[in-house]
């Protein structure tokens, strides 16, 4: 795995947890558990990172409106 990723791609998903579970079924492990941040516009953002064997970094993001 290279020290610096060659490329990063961010995908927006409806459910981070469902995608983490699905990727785990295929042996893909995230760098860490999904992280959470409150954005200033009343939105909660969740994200998680994965890297493929060629060094491509993938980010999954989920955003939820806090009503």
């Amino acid at each position: 795995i290279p020290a610096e990723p060659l490329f990063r791609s961010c995908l927006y998903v409806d459910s981070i947890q469902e995608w983490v579970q699905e990727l785990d079924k295929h042996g893909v492990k995230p760098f860490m558990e999904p992280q959470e941040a409150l954005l200033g516009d009343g939105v909660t953002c969740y994200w998680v990172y994965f890297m493929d064997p060629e060094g491509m970094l993938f980010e999954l993001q989920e955003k939820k409106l806090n009503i």
Side-chain angles (χ1 to χ4, degrees), residues 25-65:
K25 291 177 189 177
H26 299 282
V28 179
K29 305 290 183 199
F31 290 129
M32 63 194 147
E33 291 298 313
Q35 302 297 299
E36 176 181 329
L38 296 174
L39 305 180
D41 55 359
V43 172
T44 301
C45 180
Y46 304 91
W47 70 93
V48 68
Y49 293 99
F50 301 88
M51 188 173 285
D52 75 3
E54 289 80 35
M56 187 167 167
L57 182 64
F58 289 92
E59 175 183 359
L60 297 180
Q61 251 189 50
E62 172 187 355
K63 291 184 179 178
K64 290 188 177 180
L65 180 60

Side-chain angles (χ1 to χ4, degrees), residues 4-24:
E4 293 289 325
L6 302 174
F7 182 78
R8 178 178 134 202
S9 182
C10 180
L11 306 169
Y12 291 93
V13 297
D14 291 331
S15 173
I16 286 270
Q17 291 300 330
E18 286 179 18
W19 276 98
V20 168
Q21 290 172 359
E22 184 64 28
L23 290 167
D24 184 58

